Amino acid sequence: MELQGTVKKLFDAQTFASGFQKREMVILTQEQYPQPINIEFLSDKISLLDNLKEGENVKVGINIRGREWVSPQGETKYFNSITGWKIEKVMDNGSEPTQASPSQSASPVSNENPFAGDDDDDLPF
């Protein structure tokens, strides 16, 4: 899956006692009701955030992960996380680069009615 938006917040990398590392970012989606989405980058993917700045427009490749956890009281809870694995910067207007428009040297379009001189009316009604 992919999410596109503006980088709202970049957090510092976190290292845990086990050696596990993660770094998070928040992007603000560009839709009618923009959503701040927290995305985590794990282990070797945290370096993808090194060249980003807040305010830049990006497209992020993501995976959605789910976990089940049973509390000591026996209650089951479910958690979701969004993990990033790829980042592409996009143009400032929030759209991807498009193909070049046709050159101006193309033949002009005629505004003449091609049927204007056709007096042969062979319609059956």
Side-chain angles (χ1 to χ4, degrees):
M1 295 181 67
E2 290 182 340
L3 285 176
Q4 186 167 325
T6 303
V7 177
K8 181 177 174 95
K9 181 77 175 161
L10 290 167
F11 295 95
D12 292 331
Q14 298 174 302
T15 302
F16 299 90
S18 63
F20 173 76
Q21 291 184 315
K22 80 173 184 176
R23 186 172 179 196
E24 297 176 326
M25 72 179 286
V26 176
I27 67 168
L28 188 62
T29 61
Q30 299 166 342
E31 52 195 353
Q32 182 177 359
Y33 301 106
Q35 302 291 311
I37 306 291
N38 187 57
I39 304 169
E40 57 185 25
F41 291 79
L42 309 176
S43 304
D44 61 333
K45 300 297 182 189
I46 63 174
S47 63
L48 295 173
L49 301 177
D50 290 346
N51 296 321
L52 288 182
K53 296 181 183 102
E54 292 178 6
E56 289 184 306
N57 291 314
V58 293
K59 185 189 314 183
V60 183
I62 62 165
N63 290 325
I64 299 176
R65 302 192 182 266
R67 292 178 304 285
E68 180 179 279
W69 177 73
V70 180
S71 72
Q73 294 79 24
E75 183 181 8
T76 302
K77 295 193 177 207
Y78 298 92
F79 299 92
N80 298 316
S81 62
I82 300 173
T83 305
W85 55 272
K86 177 179 79 167
I87 297 179
E88 294 176 32
K89 292 183 183 182
V90 295
M91 294 172 41
D92 285 339
N93 63 4
S95 64
E96 295 182 61
T98 56
Q99 293 180 348
S101 59
S103 65
Q104 296 295 334
S105 63
S107 60
V109 176
S110 172
N111 289 334
E112 264 183 49
N113 182 352
F115 305 108
D118 193 5
D119 291 334
D120 185 16
D121 188 5
D122 59 354
L123 293 176
F125 43 50

